[in-house]
Amino acid sequence: MTDMIELAVNGTLMRGLELNPNLINVGAQFIREDETDVHYRLWSINDNHPAMIRTLEANHSVALEVWAVPANGVAQVLQNEPAGLCIGKVHLKNGTTVLGVLGEPWLVEGQTDISASGGWRSYINSKE
């Protein structure tokens, strides 16, 4: 996997969700389910997708998936993400750091904090 980059996804890019084909179409491979460390918060953006932001204080862990994405496919995945999402460093509960999808602070203004749900998948499942 020398040309592959580990990418943590926490929303609609996850297996079986709306934008997962964006990962599949660039040749990404699912590695594992994982969680962030406790320094994250998660918002629902109009119930269309989540946005995750790292915080200074310990708040919540967020469930996510780690994928191996071809280096030349990372930009394509990012270009197809909703506005206000970006790629940055995500700290996992095991102390390692990988690239992952994060939200820009402006995006979460006035949105619903769903951090207590533990993750996007559990949040959307609770609404059914």
Side-chain angles (χ1 to χ4, degrees):
M1 283 203 222
T2 56
D3 296 317
M4 304 295 262
I5 295 173
E6 287 191 350
L7 182 68
V9 301
N10 59 63
T12 57
L13 287 172
M14 292 191 296
R15 292 172 296 157
L17 299 182
E18 181 183 349
L19 297 183
N20 182 250
N22 294 349
L23 286 172
I24 302 299
N25 291 340
V26 299
Q29 300 169 356
F30 172 76
I31 298 176
R32 67 181 182 279
E33 294 180 348
D34 211 321
E35 287 182 33
T36 66
D37 70 13
V38 296
H39 294 273
Y40 287 87
R41 290 176 62 191
L42 189 70
W43 285 263
S44 170
I45 309 303
N46 301 318
D47 280 351
N48 292 323
H49 63 83
M52 181 175 78
I53 293 181
R54 183 167 171 77
T55 62
L56 292 176
E57 34 324 304
N59 285 294
H60 301 275
S61 294
V62 175
L64 48 75
E65 295 179 353
V66 178
W67 286 71
V69 182
N72 61 3
V74 173
Q76 184 176 339
V77 170
L78 180 59
Q79 287 175 333
N80 291 314
E81 282 289 280
L85 297 180
C86 57
I87 292 179
K89 292 183 178 179
V90 174
H91 302 272
L92 301 178
K93 69 179 181 183
N94 68 2
T96 62
T97 301
V98 297
L99 292 180
V101 178
L102 297 168
E104 295 176 4
W106 66 266
L107 183 60
V108 304
E109 291 291 325
Q111 299 294 326
T112 303
D113 186 335
I114 61 169
S115 303
S117 70
W120 181 247
R121 193 180 301 278
S122 60
Y123 173 73
I124 59 174
N125 286 342
S126 73
K127 296 184 69 69
E128 293 178 349

